[in-house]
Amino acid sequence: MSVPAEELRVLVEEVVRPLIDSPDELEVASSEEGSDVLIEISVNPDDAGKVIGRQGRVIKSIRTLARAAATRKGLNVDVELLDD
């Protein structure tokens, strides 16, 4: 995993952690294939709604922030919330 992909993972983790009630159950993983990075977020099922937000606004904002940071590094990023 490259340094920019790890930086994107840390960025997403730092944004999500304050939003949830069970930060000890937060897992953020990243995988990279060429210039494409996939960030996967796993949280306690009770916290999923907080990460999604009303009408998906929070997760959309997280994706926008990650994409803006990735664009500066010449990468494409996709952020997914995994449902357990």
Side-chain angles (χ1 to χ4, degrees):
M1 177 182 339
S2 71
V3 173
E6 178 63 17
E7 290 174 355
L8 291 171
R9 186 196 67 75
V10 170
L11 171 69
V12 170
E13 184 175 342
E14 293 300 316
V15 170
V16 173
R17 187 172 301 281
L19 299 175
I20 58 178
D21 291 332
S22 302
D24 53 318
E25 295 183 40
L26 172 64
E27 293 180 20
V28 181
S30 64
S31 60
E32 186 175 11
E33 187 174 313
S35 64
D36 296 332
V37 177
L38 174 63
I39 310 276
E40 296 176 325
I41 305 168
S42 177
V43 295
N44 183 310
D46 295 337
D47 289 330
K50 294 176 180 129
V51 176
I52 295 170
R54 290 189 182 199
Q55 297 181 353
R57 288 186 183 133
V58 174
I59 193 69
K60 285 179 189 176
S61 297
I62 293 168
R63 288 177 177 139
T64 300
L65 181 64
R67 287 182 182 137
T71 300
R72 297 184 70 189
K73 308 234 182 250
L75 299 171
N76 298 317
V77 68
D78 191 22
V79 178
E80 295 295 328
L81 178 64
L82 302 177
D83 46 345
D84 294 333

